Amino acid sequence: MSAPLLTHRPLRRRLLDAGFYAVTALSALIGVFFLACILVMVASRGLSGVSWSFLTEDMSQSGAAGGIFYQLVGTLILVAATAVIVMPLAVSFALLNSEYIKSRRLRALSKSMLFLLNGVPSILFGVFGYLLFVKALGLGKSWLVGALMLAFMILPTVTVSVMEAIDRIPTLHREAAMALGLNPPKVIWSLVLPSSLQGLITGTLLGLGRAAGETAPIMFTAAVFSGVTVPDGVVDNPILAIPYHILNLAQDASSPEVLRNAWSSAFVLLALSLILNTLAWFLRRRAEGRRAI
Amino acid sequence: MAPDPAATPRQNVDPKDKPRIYGPFGLFRDPRLEFLSVTRLLAYAFSAVVMLFLAALVLSLLLGSLPIFREQGFWSFATKPEWNYRRQLFGAASMLYGTLVTSFVALLLAGPLGILSATFISEYLSGPLQSLIKQSVELLAAVPSVVYGLLGVITLRPLVHKGLGFLGAETGDTLLTGSLLLAIMILPTIMTLADDALRAVPKATREAAMALGLTRRESIWTVVWPRARSGLISAVLLGLGRALGETIAVFLVIGRSDSRLPKPLWDLSALLAPGQTLTSKLGSPELAISYSDPQHWSAILGLAFLLLVTVAVIMGLGLSLRRRPV
C-alpha cells in the first residue's frame, strides 16, 4: 500500500499526493521530536542524580541536597490508599450499570455522570477537598483526604475498564450460571466479578499511573513540603509527595543543586508512572492473548 | 383409571423442604424476598457515594460563590478585569481571558499537528515502526504535568525570552510560553485519540477508494477523514479539555500577573506579557490565604465555579458539534 508517486497520473494529483505525504511526515517528525526531547532531557539530566542514597535519604537544605525518601514513601502511601478506595467504588458503579439498572435512559444518565466526573479539572478536586474535608470537616491536611480526591479523579478510568470487562462476559456463561441454579447475587460473585478482575486491575493500574503524578488534587489536601515523615493517624497528618516536591523545587530554579534534584525527582516520578502504565499494558496484552485462543 | 398427570394439581410441598436460598446469606425460603440482596445494596450504596460526590462538588462551589455573586453580580464578576484582594477588587475577566487564550492557542498549534501526525502514523507507516511510535506516543501521554512544568521552566522560558525578546517579551513568563507548553502537553493526547479514530475506519473503505483509482492523499481526504470526523473532533475536544483544566505547568510559566486584560481584546501583544489563568490563580498560595476573609474566599470559589462552567460550556458546545459519522 505504498508507492506514493504514481507515474501514470496527471501531474497535479501526483504533486498533491507527494506534498501531503511530506506535510504529514513532517508533522509526525515534529510531534515525535518534541516527545523524544522530553524523555531525553529527563533521562540525561535526572539519571545522574538518581542513586540508592537518593532514594533512601531524607531531604536536607530544603531540597538542595539529600534524597527523596519520605517523598517516595508519601507517594506510595497515596497510591496504595487510592487503589483501596477506588476499587469498590468502580466495581459497584460498573455492576450497577451492567446488572441492576435495566432502563436505558438511566444507564445513559449514569454514563454521562461518569463523563462529567472525568471532565472536571484536577485543581477543582483539590479546591473541593480543601473546602470540605480540610476546612469544613476539620480534618486538616491528611493523606486520606488526598487519596480520596485522587480516587474520585481516576474513578472514570477504572469504571470504564471494569464495564468493558463485564460486557465481554459471554451471555452463554451467564445462562450456564443460572442453569446451574445460581441466584443473581451468586452469579455476580461467582461469575461476573472473577471475570472482570483483569479489567479492574488494568484500569486501576492505569489510573494509579496518573494519580501518582498528579499535584493539583493533593497540594491543598495532603501534601506539605517538609517536616513530616510517616503519618500516624488520619486527622492532621499530611505527607510528603514527589510531584509536590518537584513543584516546589521548580520554583527555586536558580540554584543548580536544587535543579539537579528536581530533575532526579522527575526521573523517579516518571519511572514510577511508567512502571504502572507498562504493567497495565502488559497485563492487558496477556489477557487479550489468552482471549484470542 | 390412573390419574391424568396433566390434571394433577401442584403438589403441596412441605414448607421445611423448600430450599433456603433467597435473601441475604440465603436466609429465606420465599423467592419474593430476593430483593434484599446485600450485594445489590452495597452496589447501590457505593454508587450513591459517587453521585453524591459529584453533586457535592458542583453544589459546594456554587453555594460558596453565592456571596460574591450576590454582591457583585455574576456578569460583573466575569467581566471586570481588576483582581486585587488587598483592595477588595474581585474581577475574573483577565483570568478568563488567560484561560481561553492559552487553551485555544495551544489547540491551534497542537490540533492540526496532532491530526496530521496521527494520519501519517496510521496511514503511511506500518509494521514494527508504527507500533513502536504509537506506543511511545501513548507512553508520553502519561507524563505527569509537573514534569512538563519543570521542562517549561528550564527550557521554554529562556527560549521565549531570548527568541522573542525582539518582539517585546521582557521575561520568559508569558501567556505565549503557557500556550506553547500546553500545546506540547496535549499533543500526545490528540495524536493517540486521532490515531484510534483513524484506525476505526474499516480497511475495506480505504481499499475500495484505492481500487477506484484515487491516490493516497485523495482517499484520505475524501474517504478516511470524513468517516473518522467525529472521532477526530473528540480527540481535539479532549485535548482542549485537558488544556483548559491544566494547572501546574501553566502555574510555573505564566508569570502570575493579575489584572492584565488587553485593550482592545484582540491585541496579540498581550501574549508576550505575563498573565494569569483561572487555574494558575486557583493553584497559587492565595487559596490558603483567602480562607480567613469570607469575601475573598467566596471570590476564589467564584473562580472555581467559573472554571467549571467554562469547561462545561465549551465541552458541551464541542460535543454538540460532533455529528454522527458520515
Side-chain angles (χ1 to χ4, degrees):
Chain A
M1 281 274 234
S2 50
L5 290 171
L6 306 121
T7 48
H8 53 284
R9 304 262 176 95
L11 183 69
R12 179 174 159 273
R13 291 175 70 191
R14 272 187 282 145
L15 279 182
L16 276 177
D17 197 64
F20 185 72
Y21 182 84
V23 165
T24 52
L26 193 68
S27 312
L29 215 72
I30 296 177
V32 173
F33 166 75
F34 276 137
L35 313 182
C37 268
I38 295 168
L39 279 187
V40 164
M41 255 197 258
V42 174
S44 67
R45 295 183 195 213
L47 190 52
S48 53
V50 176
S51 59
W52 184 250
S53 63
F54 183 70
L55 292 175
T56 52
E57 258 177 37
D58 203 354
M59 175 181 78
S60 58
Q61 292 179 33
S62 288
I68 54 167
F69 180 62
Y70 288 111
Q71 281 84 357
L72 196 57
V73 167
T75 294
L76 290 175
I77 292 178
L78 281 177
V79 164
T82 306
V84 168
I85 299 175
V86 83
M87 287 204 266
L89 291 176
V91 169
S92 305
F93 207 83
L95 275 182
L96 207 79
N97 243 6
S98 67
E99 308 285 318
Y100 291 126
I101 296 188
K102 309 290 185 200
S103 143
R104 207 176 309 168
R105 268 179 50 196
L106 280 181
R107 274 197 214 178
L109 192 71
S110 67
K111 276 226 172 100
S112 24
M113 287 200 80
L114 220 56
F115 281 136
L116 228 79
L117 195 59
N118 202 28
V120 173
S122 52
I123 183 75
L124 293 185
F125 286 105
V127 173
F128 175 62
Y130 184 74
L131 160 66
L132 184 64
F133 293 97
V134 177
K135 287 297 175 185
L137 290 183
L139 290 176
K141 272 197 175 183
S142 158
W143 57 275
L144 191 61
V145 176
L148 205 67
M149 293 302 119
L150 287 175
F152 280 108
M153 193 184 72
I154 68 173
L155 188 74
T157 310
V158 187
T159 310
V160 164
S161 187
V162 178
M163 287 204 283
E164 285 178 356
I166 295 183
D167 283 340
R168 273 196 292 260
I169 300 176
T171 324
L172 193 67
H173 289 198
R174 282 183 203 267
E175 292 171 352
M178 290 195 271
L180 285 169
L182 297 178
N183 54 6
K186 281 230 177 63
V187 172
I188 290 178
W189 286 97
S190 308
L191 172 69
V192 178
L193 290 186
S195 304
S196 60
L197 192 67
Q198 181 265 327
L200 175 67
I201 298 197
T202 313
T204 308
L205 284 173
L206 276 174
L208 291 178
R210 184 181 159 202
E214 280 286 336
T215 324
I218 60 171
M219 61 188 201
F220 299 125
T221 55
V224 290
F225 180 57
S226 62
V228 199
T229 54
V230 176
D232 59 354
V234 174
V235 177
D236 270 322
N237 260 298
I239 37 122
L240 306 179
I242 304 183
Y244 190 60
H245 186 67
I246 300 178
L247 176 65
N248 280 292
L249 293 186
Q251 293 178 14
D252 189 12
S254 44
S255 153
E257 299 92 30
V258 170
L259 222 56
R260 201 167 359 108
N261 277 342
W263 283 112
S264 307
S265 312
F267 185 85
V268 173
L269 185 64
L270 205 60
L272 185 64
S273 196
L274 249 51
I275 288 175
L276 288 167
N277 275 306
T278 314
L279 212 67
W281 174 83
F282 196 62
L283 283 173
R284 176 174 284 167
R285 281 300 265 277
R286 215 170 66 132
E288 274 172 13
R290 244 193 258 134
R291 263 201 301 272
I293 294 174
Chain B
M1 234 170 21
D4 181 4
T8 310
R10 198 163 63 146
Q11 307 240 310
N12 282 326
V13 181
D14 184 358
K16 286 203 192 53
D17 290 334
K18 280 201 219 153
R20 216 204 267 266
I21 54 170
Y22 304 108
F25 307 109
L27 289 173
F28 304 116
R29 303 184 206 272
D30 187 345
R32 289 170 297 183
L33 291 174
E34 191 54 56
F35 74 94
L36 286 179
S37 152
V38 168
T39 311
R40 196 161 89 166
L41 219 78
L42 281 178
Y44 272 98
F46 280 134
S47 309
V49 167
V50 175
M51 301 202 220
L52 221 82
F53 180 86
L54 189 58
L57 192 134
V58 178
L59 279 176
S60 66
L61 291 182
L62 176 61
L63 292 176
S65 42
L66 277 183
I68 192 85
F69 292 155
R70 224 175 300 168
E71 186 194 302
Q72 265 192 10
F74 180 77
W75 190 249
S76 144
F77 181 72
T79 51
K80 280 216 316 238
E82 281 286 323
W83 178 282
N84 189 331
Y85 72 92
R86 290 199 183 86
R87 284 163 39 198
Q88 296 286 312
L89 287 171
F90 300 117
S94 40
M95 288 175 260
L96 197 58
Y97 171 77
T99 296
L100 293 175
V101 160
T102 49
S103 303
F104 277 102
V105 171
L107 197 67
L108 231 66
L109 295 171
L113 194 67
I115 293 185
L116 287 175
S117 324
T119 308
F120 181 75
I121 293 172
S122 83
E123 302 287 321
Y124 288 106
L125 285 184
S126 60
L129 182 63
Q130 186 192 48
S131 36
L132 176 71
I133 294 194
K134 184 153 164 55
Q135 260 137 48
S136 329
V137 173
E138 273 180 27
L139 236 53
L140 279 143
V143 170
S145 18
V146 77
V147 176
Y148 280 109
L150 189 64
L151 253 126
V153 166
I154 303 303
T155 316
L156 207 58
R157 240 175 27 173
L159 214 77
V160 169
H161 187 191
K162 292 199 193 83
L164 295 174
F166 70 97
L167 282 175
E170 285 174 8
T171 119
D173 291 311
T174 65
L175 284 180
L176 187 65
T177 321
S179 314
L180 290 174
L181 192 58
L182 279 178
I184 300 179
M185 280 184 76
I186 67 178
L187 188 64
T189 308
I190 296 183
M191 275 170 82
T192 313
L193 291 170
D195 185 272
D196 288 341
L198 291 168
R199 233 171 250 272
V201 176
K203 211 158 173 241
T205 317
R206 283 190 202 87
E207 290 172 349
M210 305 281 277
L212 285 170
L214 294 177
T215 64
R216 211 86 169 89
R217 183 221 41 109
E218 285 163 356
S219 66
I220 294 177
W221 273 17
T222 60
V223 173
V224 177
W225 274 354
R227 288 293 289 260
R229 184 175 53 195
S230 77
L232 292 176
I233 295 184
S234 296
V236 165
L237 218 61
L238 258 99
L240 179 61
R242 189 173 170 195
L244 287 169
E246 178 50 49
T247 307
I248 301 301
V250 174
F251 171 84
L252 287 171
V253 298
I254 201 98
R256 277 176 281 137
S257 168
D258 279 316
S259 313
R260 282 184 187 256
L261 191 67
K263 282 190 190 357
L265 210 62
W266 50 87
D267 185 5
L268 285 181
S269 65
L271 279 179
L272 290 170
Q276 185 88 270
T277 68
L278 290 169
T279 49
S280 68
K281 175 60 81 182
L282 287 171
S284 71
E286 199 174 312
L287 190 91
I289 297 175
S290 68
Y291 193 74
S292 41
D293 175 14
Q295 186 79 324
H296 191 189
W297 177 244
S298 170
I300 290 275
L301 291 184
L303 289 180
F305 183 71
L306 196 61
L307 179 66
L308 193 63
V309 165
T310 308
V311 173
V313 163
I314 293 184
M315 302 294 275
L317 275 175
L319 281 172
S320 69
L321 282 174
R322 260 185 64 193
R323 271 160 278 146
R324 247 166 286 275
V326 167

